[in-house]
PDB file of all heavy atoms in Angstrom:
ATOM      1  N   GLY A 848     286.119 112.324  26.330  1.00  0.00           N
ATOM      2  CA  GLY A 848     287.528 112.347  26.687  1.00  0.00           C
ATOM      3  C   GLY A 848     288.368 111.166  26.239  1.00  0.00           C
ATOM      4  O   GLY A 848     289.508 111.039  26.659  1.00  0.00           O
ATOM      5  N   GLU A 849     287.843 110.304  25.380  1.00  0.00           N
ATOM      6  CA  GLU A 849     288.655 109.185  24.905  1.00  0.00           C
ATOM      7  C   GLU A 849     289.823 109.693  24.065  1.00  0.00           C
ATOM      8  O   GLU A 849     289.749 110.746  23.449  1.00  0.00           O
ATOM      9  CB  GLU A 849     287.812 108.239  24.053  1.00  0.00           C
ATOM     10  CG  GLU A 849     286.729 107.535  24.825  1.00  0.00           C
ATOM     11  CD  GLU A 849     285.914 106.621  23.933  1.00  0.00           C
ATOM     12  OE1 GLU A 849     286.509 105.943  23.075  1.00  0.00           O
ATOM     13  OE2 GLU A 849     284.687 106.588  24.104  1.00  0.00           O
ATOM     14  N   GLU A 850     290.873 108.928  24.030  1.00  0.00           N
ATOM     15  CA  GLU A 850     292.055 109.283  23.245  1.00  0.00           C
ATOM     16  C   GLU A 850     291.761 109.155  21.749  1.00  0.00           C
ATOM     17  O   GLU A 850     291.047 108.250  21.318  1.00  0.00           O
ATOM     18  CB  GLU A 850     293.212 108.363  23.625  1.00  0.00           C
ATOM     19  CG  GLU A 850     294.496 108.670  22.907  1.00  0.00           C
ATOM     20  CD  GLU A 850     295.606 107.697  23.238  1.00  0.00           C
ATOM     21  OE1 GLU A 850     295.373 106.744  24.009  1.00  0.00           O
ATOM     22  OE2 GLU A 850     296.707 107.895  22.711  1.00  0.00           O
ATOM     23  N   SER A 851     292.327 110.083  20.976  1.00  0.00           N
ATOM     24  CA  SER A 851     292.176 110.029  19.526  1.00  0.00           C
ATOM     25  C   SER A 851     293.531 110.325  18.885  1.00  0.00           C
ATOM     26  O   SER A 851     294.508 110.596  19.567  1.00  0.00           O
ATOM     27  CB  SER A 851     291.141 111.058  19.067  1.00  0.00           C
ATOM     28  OG  SER A 851     291.643 112.366  19.266  1.00  0.00           O
ATOM     29  N   LEU A 852     293.559 110.312  17.567  1.00  0.00           N
ATOM     30  CA  LEU A 852     294.778 110.681  16.841  1.00  0.00           C
ATOM     31  C   LEU A 852     294.991 112.189  16.860  1.00  0.00           C
ATOM     32  O   LEU A 852     296.107 112.662  16.678  1.00  0.00           O
ATOM     33  CB  LEU A 852     294.716 110.163  15.401  1.00  0.00           C
ATOM     34  CG  LEU A 852     294.806 108.648  15.269  1.00  0.00           C
ATOM     35  CD1 LEU A 852     294.350 108.198  13.886  1.00  0.00           C
ATOM     36  CD2 LEU A 852     296.224 108.169  15.542  1.00  0.00           C
ATOM     37  N   GLY A 853     293.926 112.954  17.050  1.00  0.00           N
ATOM     38  CA  GLY A 853     294.035 114.399  17.205  1.00  0.00           C
ATOM     39  C   GLY A 853     294.453 115.149  15.956  1.00  0.00           C
ATOM     40  O   GLY A 853     295.100 116.181  16.041  1.00  0.00           O
ATOM     41  N   LEU A 854     294.083 114.670  14.782  1.00  0.00           N
ATOM     42  CA  LEU A 854     294.559 115.257  13.533  1.00  0.00           C
ATOM     43  C   LEU A 854     293.564 116.196  12.855  1.00  0.00           C
ATOM     44  O   LEU A 854     293.962 117.055  12.074  1.00  0.00           O
ATOM     45  CB  LEU A 854     294.955 114.142  12.567  1.00  0.00           C
ATOM     46  CG  LEU A 854     296.104 113.252  13.047  1.00  0.00           C
ATOM     47  CD1 LEU A 854     296.246 112.035  12.149  1.00  0.00           C
ATOM     48  CD2 LEU A 854     297.397 114.040  13.094  1.00  0.00           C
ATOM     49  N   LEU A 855     292.277 116.055  13.119  1.00  0.00           N
ATOM     50  CA  LEU A 855     291.243 116.902  12.527  1.00  0.00           C
ATOM     51  C   LEU A 855     290.727 117.828  13.619  1.00  0.00           C
ATOM     52  O   LEU A 855     290.265 117.360  14.662  1.00  0.00           O
ATOM     53  CB  LEU A 855     290.101 116.045  11.978  1.00  0.00           C
ATOM     54  CG  LEU A 855     288.956 116.822  11.339  1.00  0.00           C
ATOM     55  CD1 LEU A 855     289.349 117.261   9.925  1.00  0.00           C
ATOM     56  CD2 LEU A 855     287.693 115.981  11.302  1.00  0.00           C
ATOM     57  N   ASP A 856     290.770 119.134  13.380  1.00  0.00           N
ATOM     58  CA  ASP A 856     290.481 120.125  14.415  1.00  0.00           C
ATOM     59  C   ASP A 856     288.971 120.305  14.628  1.00  0.00           C
ATOM     60  O   ASP A 856     288.380 121.325  14.254  1.00  0.00           O
ATOM     61  CB  ASP A 856     291.146 121.453  14.065  1.00  0.00           C
ATOM     62  CG  ASP A 856     291.282 122.363  15.267  1.00  0.00           C
ATOM     63  OD1 ASP A 856     290.991 121.904  16.402  1.00  0.00           O
ATOM     64  OD2 ASP A 856     291.656 123.526  15.081  1.00  0.00           O
ATOM     65  N   ALA A 857     288.354 119.277  15.204  1.00  0.00           N
ATOM     66  CA  ALA A 857     286.931 119.273  15.552  1.00  0.00           C
ATOM     67  C   ALA A 857     286.718 118.203  16.619  1.00  0.00           C
ATOM     68  O   ALA A 857     287.594 117.370  16.854  1.00  0.00           O
ATOM     69  CB  ALA A 857     286.070 118.985  14.328  1.00  0.00           C
ATOM     70  N   THR A 858     285.548 118.243  17.242  1.00  0.00           N
ATOM     71  CA  THR A 858     285.194 117.259  18.265  1.00  0.00           C
ATOM     72  C   THR A 858     284.192 116.273  17.681  1.00  0.00           C
ATOM     73  O   THR A 858     283.230 116.672  17.034  1.00  0.00           O
ATOM     74  CB  THR A 858     284.582 117.961  19.498  1.00  0.00           C
ATOM     75  OG1 THR A 858     285.561 118.855  20.044  1.00  0.00           O
ATOM     76  CG2 THR A 858     284.167 116.963  20.561  1.00  0.00           C
ATOM     77  N   ALA A 859     284.419 114.989  17.921  1.00  0.00           N
ATOM     78  CA  ALA A 859     283.524 113.934  17.444  1.00  0.00           C
ATOM     79  C   ALA A 859     282.531 113.551  18.536  1.00  0.00           C
ATOM     80  O   ALA A 859     282.912 113.417  19.703  1.00  0.00           O
ATOM     81  CB  ALA A 859     284.315 112.701  17.020  1.00  0.00           C
ATOM     82  N   ILE A 860     281.299 113.380  18.143  1.00  0.00           N
ATOM     83  CA  ILE A 860     280.254 112.857  19.020  1.00  0.00           C
ATOM     84  C   ILE A 860     279.984 111.428  18.569  1.00  0.00           C
ATOM     85  O   ILE A 860     279.395 111.196  17.509  1.00  0.00           O
ATOM     86  CB  ILE A 860     278.956 113.697  18.926  1.00  0.00           C
ATOM     87  CG1 ILE A 860     279.236 115.179  19.145  1.00  0.00           C
ATOM     88  CG2 ILE A 860     277.905 113.164  19.898  1.00  0.00           C
ATOM     89  CD1 ILE A 860     279.790 115.543  20.494  1.00  0.00           C
ATOM     90  N   ARG A 861     280.469 110.460  19.354  1.00  0.00           N
ATOM     91  CA  ARG A 861     280.276 109.043  19.008  1.00  0.00           C
ATOM     92  C   ARG A 861     278.799 108.683  19.074  1.00  0.00           C
ATOM     93  O   ARG A 861     278.077 109.167  19.933  1.00  0.00           O
ATOM     94  CB  ARG A 861     281.045 108.142  19.979  1.00  0.00           C
ATOM     95  CG  ARG A 861     282.542 108.203  19.802  1.00  0.00           C
ATOM     96  CD  ARG A 861     283.278 107.287  20.781  1.00  0.00           C
ATOM     97  NE  ARG A 861     283.055 105.904  20.415  1.00  0.00           N
ATOM     98  CZ  ARG A 861     282.563 104.986  21.249  1.00  0.00           C
ATOM     99  NH1 ARG A 861     282.248 105.283  22.481  1.00  0.00           N
ATOM    100  NH2 ARG A 861     282.395 103.755  20.839  1.00  0.00           N
ATOM    101  N   ASN A 862     278.347 107.826  18.185  1.00  0.00           N
ATOM    102  CA  ASN A 862     276.951 107.383  18.147  1.00  0.00           C
ATOM    103  C   ASN A 862     275.998 108.580  18.223  1.00  0.00           C
ATOM    104  O   ASN A 862     274.965 108.527  18.874  1.00  0.00           O
ATOM    105  CB  ASN A 862     276.654 106.398  19.284  1.00  0.00           C
ATOM    106  CG  ASN A 862     277.523 105.158  19.209  1.00  0.00           C
ATOM    107  OD1 ASN A 862     277.762 104.621  18.137  1.00  0.00           O
ATOM    108  ND2 ASN A 862     278.014 104.721  20.338  1.00  0.00           N
ATOM    109  N   GLY A 863     276.359 109.665  17.537  1.00  0.00           N
ATOM    110  CA  GLY A 863     275.614 110.913  17.618  1.00  0.00           C
ATOM    111  C   GLY A 863     274.178 110.822  17.140  1.00  0.00           C
ATOM    112  O   GLY A 863     273.332 111.613  17.565  1.00  0.00           O
ATOM    113  N   PHE A 864     273.890 109.863  16.277  1.00  0.00           N
ATOM    114  CA  PHE A 864     272.534 109.699  15.761  1.00  0.00           C
ATOM    115  C   PHE A 864     271.809 108.543  16.443  1.00  0.00           C
ATOM    116  O   PHE A 864     270.719 108.171  16.041  1.00  0.00           O
ATOM    117  CB  PHE A 864     272.560 109.475  14.241  1.00  0.00           C
ATOM    118  CG  PHE A 864     272.989 110.687  13.470  1.00  0.00           C
ATOM    119  CD1 PHE A 864     274.312 110.844  13.078  1.00  0.00           C
ATOM    120  CD2 PHE A 864     272.079 111.688  13.149  1.00  0.00           C
ATOM    121  CE1 PHE A 864     274.718 111.964  12.369  1.00  0.00           C
ATOM    122  CE2 PHE A 864     272.470 112.812  12.450  1.00  0.00           C
ATOM    123  CZ  PHE A 864     273.787 112.951  12.057  1.00  0.00           C
ATOM    124  N   GLY A 865     272.421 107.955  17.450  1.00  0.00           N
ATOM    125  CA  GLY A 865     271.793 106.859  18.181  1.00  0.00           C
ATOM    126  C   GLY A 865     272.540 105.551  18.000  1.00  0.00           C
ATOM    127  O   GLY A 865     273.584 105.477  17.372  1.00  0.00           O
ATOM    128  N   ARG A 866     271.975 104.534  18.583  1.00  0.00           N
ATOM    129  CA  ARG A 866     272.585 103.202  18.570  1.00  0.00           C
ATOM    130  C   ARG A 866     272.268 102.487  17.253  1.00  0.00           C
ATOM    131  O   ARG A 866     271.717 103.064  16.327  1.00  0.00           O
ATOM    132  CB  ARG A 866     272.073 102.387  19.773  1.00  0.00           C
ATOM    133  CG  ARG A 866     272.282 103.052  21.133  1.00  0.00           C
ATOM    134  CD  ARG A 866     273.716 103.297  21.508  1.00  0.00           C
ATOM    135  NE  ARG A 866     274.459 102.058  21.645  1.00  0.00           N
ATOM    136  CZ  ARG A 866     275.770 101.986  21.703  1.00  0.00           C
ATOM    137  NH1 ARG A 866     276.490 103.067  21.627  1.00  0.00           N
ATOM    138  NH2 ARG A 866     276.378 100.839  21.817  1.00  0.00           N
ATOM    139  N   GLN A 867     272.575 101.215  17.196  1.00  0.00           N
ATOM    140  CA  GLN A 867     272.410 100.400  15.986  1.00  0.00           C
ATOM    141  C   GLN A 867     270.993 100.480  15.418  1.00  0.00           C
ATOM    142  O   GLN A 867     270.805 100.639  14.219  1.00  0.00           O
ATOM    143  CB  GLN A 867     272.762  98.943  16.315  1.00  0.00           C
ATOM    144  CG  GLN A 867     272.795  98.031  15.115  1.00  0.00           C
ATOM    145  CD  GLN A 867     274.046  98.193  14.273  1.00  0.00           C
ATOM    146  OE1 GLN A 867     275.071  98.627  14.762  1.00  0.00           O
ATOM    147  NE2 GLN A 867     273.947  97.854  13.011  1.00  0.00           N
ATOM    148  N   LYS A 868     269.978 100.399  16.268  1.00  0.00           N
ATOM    149  CA  LYS A 868     268.600 100.383  15.773  1.00  0.00           C
ATOM    150  C   LYS A 868     268.168 101.715  15.168  1.00  0.00           C
ATOM    151  O   LYS A 868     267.182 101.777  14.458  1.00  0.00           O
ATOM    152  CB  LYS A 868     267.631  99.947  16.875  1.00  0.00           C
ATOM    153  CG  LYS A 868     267.529 100.913  18.032  1.00  0.00           C
ATOM    154  CD  LYS A 868     266.588 100.395  19.089  1.00  0.00           C
ATOM    155  CE  LYS A 868     266.508 101.406  20.227  1.00  0.00           C
ATOM    156  NZ  LYS A 868     265.474 101.082  21.166  1.00  0.00           N
ATOM    157  N   GLU A 869     268.919 102.796  15.430  1.00  0.00           N
ATOM    158  CA  GLU A 869     268.614 104.091  14.837  1.00  0.00           C
ATOM    159  C   GLU A 869     269.397 104.340  13.543  1.00  0.00           C
ATOM    160  O   GLU A 869     269.406 105.445  13.019  1.00  0.00           O
ATOM    161  CB  GLU A 869     268.893 105.234  15.826  1.00  0.00           C
ATOM    162  CG  GLU A 869     267.823 105.415  16.879  1.00  0.00           C
ATOM    163  CD  GLU A 869     268.089 104.589  18.127  1.00  0.00           C
ATOM    164  OE1 GLU A 869     269.265 104.276  18.415  1.00  0.00           O
ATOM    165  OE2 GLU A 869     267.112 104.233  18.806  1.00  0.00           O
ATOM    166  N   SER A 870     270.072 103.330  13.033  1.00  0.00           N
ATOM    167  CA  SER A 870     270.799 103.471  11.774  1.00  0.00           C
ATOM    168  C   SER A 870     269.821 103.820  10.657  1.00  0.00           C
ATOM    169  O   SER A 870     268.651 103.438  10.711  1.00  0.00           O
ATOM    170  CB  SER A 870     271.546 102.177  11.443  1.00  0.00           C
ATOM    171  OG  SER A 870     272.499 101.908  12.458  1.00  0.00           O
ATOM    172  N   PHE A 871     270.303 104.566   9.637  1.00  0.00           N
ATOM    173  CA  PHE A 871     269.397 105.045   8.597  1.00  0.00           C
ATOM    174  C   PHE A 871     270.165 105.395   7.331  1.00  0.00           C
ATOM    175  O   PHE A 871     271.395 105.422   7.319  1.00  0.00           O
ATOM    176  CB  PHE A 871     268.636 106.288   9.089  1.00  0.00           C
ATOM    177  CG  PHE A 871     269.515 107.478   9.378  1.00  0.00           C
ATOM    178  CD1 PHE A 871     269.659 108.503   8.448  1.00  0.00           C
ATOM    179  CD2 PHE A 871     270.208 107.590  10.589  1.00  0.00           C
ATOM    180  CE1 PHE A 871     270.469 109.601   8.706  1.00  0.00           C
ATOM    181  CE2 PHE A 871     271.015 108.683  10.856  1.00  0.00           C
ATOM    182  CZ  PHE A 871     271.149 109.695   9.911  1.00  0.00           C
TER     183      PHE A 871
END
Side-chain angles (χ1 to χ4, degrees):
E849 294 179 41
E850 182 183 2
S851 68
L852 291 164
L854 298 170
L855 180 79
D856 199 8
T858 299
I860 308 298
R861 289 180 71 235
N862 300 319
F864 291 96
R866 305 298 297 166
Q867 187 77 24
K868 66 182 181 171
E869 282 90 26
S870 298
F871 64 99

